[in-house]
Each structure stands twice: as C-alpha cells, then as structure tokens.
Amino acid sequence: MNKISVIGSGYVGLVVGTCLADMGNMVICADNNENKIDELNKGNIPIYETGIKEMIKQNAGMGRLRFTTDTEEAVKESDILFIAVGTPPLEDGSADIQHVLGVSRDIGRYMEGYRLIVIKSTVPIGTGQKVKETVRCVLNERGADDPFDVVSNPEFLREGSAVYDFTHTDRIVLGVETPKAERLMMEIYEGQARNGVPFLITNIETAELIKYGANAFLAMKITFINELAQLCEKVGADVLPLARGIGMDKRIGPDFLRPGPGYGGSCFPKDTRAIVKTGRDYGVDLSLIRQTIEANERQKLWAVRKIKDAMGVLEGKTLGVLGITFKAETDDMREAPSLVILQELAKEGARLNIYDPQGEKEGRWRLESIKESTEFCTDEYDAAKEADALVVLTDWAQFQTMDVDQIFAAMKGNYFFDFRNIFDRSLMEKKGFLYFGTGR
Ligand code: NAD
C-alpha cells in the first residue's frame, strides 16, 4: 500500500486519485479550488464521468480516499506525489506550466524525506527538468537536501470512459531517470501489469513528447476523415463504408475515422497548438499539425455553411440543437465545436433551442455572449418544438433512441442535420425529414 497524493483534482486528477485508491493505495486528492473540495467532501462530484461517483463514495467510505485544499498536508503525508493540475493554452499556443511549477515549489517547501514526483499533466518538453530545478532550488533555499525523483507519466484516458481507460490503458509510458523511480512506478501499476498492460520506459523528454505526438496524430486522423467527408458529399460517395474500408487496413485501424463537426475538448486543440509552438521554438515546422489545426477550424464553419446552403436565410428561423458538449458522455465544453457553430448561427439571426443531457451548466456561461438567441430545453422534444430544423452536434446515445415521430410532430419544419451520422437516412426520409448526414 502506497501513500499517494494527487495534486490537482480535475477531470484527470480525480479519476487517477480515485482509481489509485481503488487499487488499494491511501490517496489524498488535493486542489486549491475550495469550492470543489467542499463539494467533494459533501459527496458531490464536480465532473460527469461514468462510474466515478460510486467509486469515490466506496473508497472514501473505506478511508482510502480523502480530499483537501491543504497542499502542505498532501506533500507531508505522502511519499508519492502526482501532479495533475491544468496546463491551459497561452496566447501564443504554448502550454502554461505555471500551475505545475507552483505545485513544484510547494513540494520543495514542504517535503520531508524522499519523494517521487510524477507529472501527469500534459507538459511541454523540458518541463520535467524545470520541475526538478524548481524543487531543488526551493530545497536549497531552506537548506534541505532531501532526495527526490521526477517521472513523466502522461495520461491517455478519454473523458467519458476515463475510469475504464485508466485501468485498461493501451500502454503506460514512464519517463524515468533512476532505477528507483522506475521500480516505484512499476509497483504503483502492478495491477495494470498483471492485466497485461504493456509498459514503455523512456527518458523524460521522450515521454513528454509521446503524449503530444499521440494527440496530434489522433487530431490529424479525425481531420483527415472530416475532409474526406466533405469530398464524399461532392462526389456521391458514402463516408461510412469509406471509413470502414480505410480502417480495415491494419496499418491504419478503424478508430477516430468518424466524421463530425470538428474535434474539440480540453486536449486536442490545446495540445496540437502547443506542439506546433514547441516545433517553432526549435526551428522545426510541424506543417501537418499546423494544417490540421486550420482544417479543424474550417470544419466548424463548413457545418454552419451546410445549414445555410440548405435553409437559405436563417434570420428568424428556429433551430433545435441536440448536444453541445465536445463529445458524448462528458459535461466538458472546453473548445467544443458547438461554441463556434452556435455563435455563427446566432450571428445569422437564428434562434437556438438547445438540449444537452449534461452540458447545460457549462453551456450557459460559455454561450453567455449569445444568450439573447438561445434557450436551454428540458429534453429533445422540447428542443424540437416549433423548430424549423434540428441539428445534432454530439452523439449522445439517448438521441439514437428518441421517438423521431414525436420529434417530427413537434417541429414546424423538417430539416434534420445529423453531423454525427447517428440516424439512418432512408428511415428519416420515410418519416418525412429532409435529412442531411455528414459525408453521405
Ligand atoms: P482540470 O482543469 O479539470 O483540473 C485541473 C485542476 O487543478 C483544477 O481543479 C484546478 O483547481 C487544480 N489546480 C490548479 N492549480 C493548482 C494548484 N496550484 N494546487 C492545487 N490544485 C491546482 O484539468 P484536467 O482536464 O484534469 O487536465 C489536467 C492535465 O491533464 C492537463 O495538463 C491536461 O492536458 C491533462 N490531460 C487531460 C485529459 C482530459 O481528458 N481532460 C487527458 C489526459 C491528460
């Protein structure tokens, strides 16, 4: 049983901390957001993530998981310290590592005896070394020379299936510098090793870059099929069998070949921009990733144009919008394509009746600037009421099982824009909809 503190209890830290507690460790989840910790201590979970609520309740109940705003306590009481704070984008695209370095200073200030410092946050190349220097510098200031190791252990979980992903990950990447750090990390992940999860041991810089490389590649793969979907519509091809045909090639694989209104979320947009900036800093033009970022911005506007081309003037029209989160099974709205798409539609004069199973709370403030044009609805049928068109932006499973007859009856018009291809064209046309899929 290890004593572990996870500093930063957001989407990643909370999942990682809870899963580590569930594996039998004594875990403290720390965060400097008092409100968040208060809510967690009351049993209220700040994020929507399948399975997490029950796991937190169970592990907190068994005394293996607790929450605090006190970083000093977290650093003093645990010998393994995971850093999982945010690394938001700066104006120039680079990742802001001030929170990572702030936590590093706290670690240097409060640590007593050996500490293993594990960087979970996605951080630019060189951050591991900066963390090391920062901790050492603060230790020097207080005349201490307690030993420590820094490990880069990037996280690959996906929001929506984060708990599953943590325990069944495709690989665990460990950027280490000493045999002791490697041994301790292998002990922490003993359960995953028993499950057959492969480990990749590298130096810190390579581990840091693997995370960016993986995210940039996935963003590129989505963008690739998005652009092919546009071509499909022009030449009469169907993107679904096309994607299957491409993905059946083992060298390519079927995942991330589903077209949509552009990628979003807290990782792909920021990580692609950050790696391009890193490339620039080192004189390397990562042109493919640069193009991916631009094509993804165009994809959102392409979605808007598609609606306008079909419906003509949008002034005074009502659009029912189903789904605004960047993907299903999460409440996360960070850089969701809907934010751009809905603002553009509002600019054209459309009224937007929005329904999202989990996105309303975030959506309300993120769409504040167009609040005169938007209304949040109680369900799919409410959003469809008197609408000229329905626009599906997120593929929540519950949309697939909604009663389309009831939707049709509630609407004034019959336009149906299915940007996630979750409905069958012939069925929708039979029901009377003017159906627009994506790339079909
Ligand atoms: P988040 O914004 O949800 O959570 C970060 C948390 O850190 C917040 O609760 C914030 O209050 C806290 N924090 C900030 N500074 C702090 C400090 N000095 N002391 C204590 N707490 C502090 O972010 P997230 O989505 O969990 O992402 C965290 C990191 O993990 C980022 O680097 C991100 O790129 C990476 N990551 C995210 C995902 C994902 O799907 N969200 C997946 C893999 C990696």
Side-chain angles (χ1 to χ4, degrees):
M1 185 193 67
N2 296 295
K3 286 167 126 186
I4 300 175
S5 286
V6 180
I7 306 172
S9 303
Y11 281 87
V12 168
L14 194 56
V15 170
V16 169
T18 306
C19 290
L20 288 171
D22 205 55
M23 287 157 64
N25 300 292
M26 290 295 290
V27 177
I28 300 175
C29 279
D31 202 288
N32 63 0
N33 182 329
E34 275 182 33
N35 189 31
K36 194 174 267 191
I37 294 298
D38 276 353
E39 290 300 314
L40 280 163
N41 279 326
K42 283 188 218 148
N44 300 326
I45 314 305
I47 58 168
Y48 176 77
E49 187 62 59
T50 312
I52 193 84
K53 193 169 180 179
E54 301 71 28
M55 268 174 96
I56 289 178
K57 195 167 165 221
Q58 193 183 0
N59 285 285
M62 291 169 79
R64 287 201 300 236
L65 178 64
R66 60 196 175 86
F67 304 100
T68 184
T69 51
D70 188 348
T71 315
E72 178 172 352
E73 176 195 347
V75 174
K76 284 203 165 132
E77 291 200 13
S78 303
D79 29 37
I80 299 169
L81 308 170
F82 279 73
I83 302 179
V85 296
T87 46
L90 288 169
E91 197 84 326
D92 65 358
S94 60
D96 183 357
I97 59 166
Q98 61 159 314
H99 302 297
V100 174
L101 296 182
V103 171
S104 309
R105 276 192 289 278
D106 286 342
I107 294 174
R109 207 167 287 143
Y110 303 126
M111 64 185 265
E112 289 164 355
Y114 177 81
R115 291 293 182 274
L116 181 70
I117 302 167
V118 185
I119 305 174
K120 262 280 167 224
S121 303
T122 302
V123 293
I125 296 86
T127 305
Q129 300 307 332
K130 283 190 186 145
V131 166
K132 220 159 78 182
E133 284 158 23
T134 305
V135 174
R136 197 174 320 278
C137 181
V138 179
L139 280 172
N140 283 344
E141 279 166 18
R142 50 181 264 239
D145 67 346
D146 303 78
F148 67 94
D149 280 306
V150 172
V151 173
S152 166
N153 173 216
E155 182 51 57
F156 299 100
L157 59 76
R158 296 161 301 176
E159 287 175 20
S161 53
V163 171
Y164 177 87
D165 288 350
F166 185 77
T167 39
H168 296 78
T169 179
D170 289 339
R171 78 299 208 187
I172 291 174
V173 173
L174 300 175
V176 295
E177 289 186 327
T178 68
K180 179 174 181 177
E182 182 177 334
R183 181 176 53 75
L184 288 171
M185 290 307 295
M186 296 302 287
E187 273 173 33
I188 295 171
Y189 289 124
E190 209 184 348
Q192 280 90 336
R194 264 201 312 274
N195 285 343
V197 172
F199 284 73
L200 182 70
I201 314 289
T202 71
N203 64 13
I204 291 180
E205 289 69 22
T206 310
E208 289 169 342
L209 193 50
I210 285 171
K211 174 66 189 171
Y212 282 103
N215 273 358
F217 192 87
L218 292 173
M220 209 165 66
K221 206 171 169 192
I222 296 176
T223 306
F224 178 84
I225 203 68
N226 280 345
E227 289 201 326
L228 279 190
Q230 292 191 30
L231 182 62
C232 282
E233 291 188 6
K234 299 279 185 204
V235 300
D238 186 336
V239 76
L240 295 188
L242 172 85
R244 231 175 295 137
I246 295 172
M248 279 166 142
D249 187 324
K250 286 200 186 72
R251 293 167 301 179
I252 299 171
D255 295 338
F256 282 74
L257 286 178
R258 290 181 56 200
Y263 63 76
S266 69
C267 292
F268 291 175
K270 108 176 147 55
D271 294 349
T272 44
R273 288 198 294 268
I275 192 176
V276 166
K277 172 68 169 59
T278 301
R280 225 178 14 245
D281 290 346
Y282 287 88
V284 178
D285 180 16
L286 298 171
S287 64
L288 269 181
I289 309 175
R290 210 164 28 79
Q291 293 291 335
T292 297
I293 296 166
E294 286 169 21
N296 191 55
E297 291 311 308
R298 285 197 297 273
Q299 188 71 9
K300 301 174 201 171
L301 300 179
W302 170 81
V304 175
R305 209 168 51 242
K306 189 162 162 164
I307 296 171
K308 268 170 58 183
D309 285 351
M311 296 182 71
V313 177
L314 293 179
E315 182 74 49
K317 302 252 168 74
T318 301
L319 309 183
V321 179
L322 299 188
I324 52 171
T325 51
F326 85 95
K327 66 172 183 177
E329 299 303 323
T330 181
D331 57 348
D332 201 342
M333 291 281 305
R334 287 177 282 186
E335 306 222 30
S338 66
L339 296 173
V340 171
I341 294 170
L342 298 189
Q343 303 216 19
E344 289 297 316
L345 291 172
K347 233 190 267 168
E348 295 290 330
R351 282 217 53 80
L352 306 164
N353 291 343
I354 302 167
Y355 170 66
D356 188 289
Q358 294 294 332
E360 180 171 342
K361 192 166 151 228
E362 279 270 306
R364 274 194 188 276
W365 71 265
R366 288 193 188 265
L367 293 167
E368 173 78 18
S369 64
I370 53 164
K371 70 169 191 255
E372 305 300 332
S373 314
T374 57
E375 195 170 312
F376 281 86
C377 302
T378 51
D379 58 23
E380 299 89 334
Y381 309 102
D382 192 24
K385 215 181 284 167
E386 293 298 307
D388 296 283
L390 213 61
V391 181
V392 179
L393 291 178
T394 313
D395 52 350
W396 283 95
Q398 73 179 64
F399 297 159
Q400 288 167 46
T401 53
M402 67 191 187
D403 181 342
V404 283
D405 289 320
Q406 203 184 326
I407 293 284
F408 188 79
M411 287 172 67
K412 187 163 75 187
N414 65 345
Y415 287 95
F416 197 106
F417 298 93
D418 181 3
F419 284 105
R420 299 288 182 171
N421 287 330
I422 58 178
F423 292 94
D424 181 74
R425 169 190 293 281
S426 57
L427 189 92
M428 295 303 274
E429 286 177 347
K430 236 181 266 159
K431 300 280 183 195
F433 288 104
L434 203 50
Y435 177 85
F436 297 83
T438 295
R440 313 168 72 187

